[in-house]
Amino acid sequence: MKSTIIIGQLTGQQERAKTIANEYEAVIASTQQKISKSGLPKPKTYIEFGNKGPSEYSFTYGKNMWGAMSSAMGGDNIAAPFIEWWGPMNPEQVIASQPDVVFIAGTESGVKGDSMPMGQGIDRSMSVERLKGFTQRDGWSAFPAVQNNRVYGIYQGASRTILDASMALYMAKAQYPSLFKDTDPEQAYLDFYKKYLPVVPTGTFAVQVTE
């Protein structure tokens, strides 16, 4: 939000920047409030950057980036006690934690090999198939997340900007599906482009393993 306000000042578009920042704040605050009021138990979540594919565990996140977003949206991040900022988590610890929800982040470069592909120009069916590959890891079939099809792909490129409100909302919906049945976070991501930017991307920015 602060960066957006500063950009607005530098470009002489203070009112536009204020509107964008206020909309971001409203989405985050209203989502958190809805979760807090529900009194529902926190789901255990695991987030991984899927750049190395299913064969090798890659980065997960502690108190920053996706880890911070998951926690802010009411998730119990299983990596938090073991990873301060970011880094790979011991596979045995991941399995022992038995997450209720799993997020695999990906980028456009994920089209190579068996990495997780997400983003601009990425075919949805490819993302789903690659996501299924992660569920085949040793020990993952016992996860509540896998048994209940609560495994999700998210777009790495939509994090760390004012656009991450839509990804935070997607994480909230994945973690508390009963509270956000009528919410479409991926469409919210595209709507931001329609409202504020000269182009609208096409591709896959948020996806569930059952799609």
Side-chain angles (χ1 to χ4, degrees):
M1 291 171 59
K2 290 181 180 178
S3 298
T4 299
I5 296 299
I6 291 170
I7 292 170
Q9 293 170 345
L10 292 173
T11 59
Q13 300 184 81
Q14 289 93 330
E15 288 304 312
R16 175 185 170 94
K18 185 178 179 181
T19 298
I20 292 172
N22 287 345
E23 288 177 353
Y24 180 92
E25 184 177 34
V27 168
I28 299 299
S30 62
T31 304
Q32 289 178 321
Q33 186 178 42
K34 194 169 188 177
I35 292 170
S36 179
K37 283 186 174 181
S38 74
L40 292 170
K42 287 186 175 184
K44 292 183 293 182
T45 63
Y46 173 68
I47 310 106
E48 183 181 330
F49 183 28
N51 62 320
K52 295 184 178 180
S55 61
E56 183 179 353
Y57 281 63
S58 188
F59 303 137
T60 187
Y61 304 88
K63 61 183 180 183
N64 72 335
M65 207 171 154
W66 293 121
M69 289 170 64
S70 171
S71 297
M73 296 298 106
D76 179 9
N77 178 15
I78 67 168
F82 310 101
I83 306 294
E84 183 177 10
W85 296 107
W86 53 270
M89 189 170 166
N90 187 312
E92 292 181 0
Q93 186 60 57
V94 176
I95 294 170
S97 299
Q98 293 289 292
D100 300 300
V101 184
V102 169
F103 298 101
I104 303 294
T107 66
E108 291 83 358
S109 62
V111 295
K112 300 176 182 178
D114 58 358
S115 300
M116 185 63 200
M118 296 289 294
Q120 173 73 28
I122 299 299
D123 181 75
R124 206 166 195 84
S125 61
M126 177 187 289
S127 295
V128 172
E129 286 306 308
R130 296 283 183 87
L131 194 57
K132 289 178 180 177
F134 285 86
T135 70
Q136 303 302 312
R137 281 174 165 170
D138 289 345
W140 280 42
S141 62
F143 287 2
V146 174
Q147 293 181 354
N148 297 317
N149 293 316
R150 298 179 70 184
V151 180
Y152 303 87
I154 47 180
Y155 179 38
Q156 186 86 347
S159 62
R160 296 183 291 185
T161 75
I162 202 75
L163 273 163
D164 72 20
S166 55
M167 291 295 108
L169 189 56
Y170 188 74
M171 296 185 99
K173 182 173 182 177
Q175 292 173 167
Y176 296 92
S178 64
L179 300 182
F180 300 97
K181 290 180 179 178
D182 299 324
T183 303
D184 189 342
E186 189 174 29
Q187 187 59 51
Y189 177 81
L190 298 174
D191 287 344
F192 183 94
Y193 276 88
K194 291 178 182 178
K195 186 174 182 180
Y196 292 113
L197 297 167
V199 296
V200 179
T202 58
T204 306
F205 307 97
V207 70
Q208 187 173 5
V209 73
T210 53
E211 293 184 31

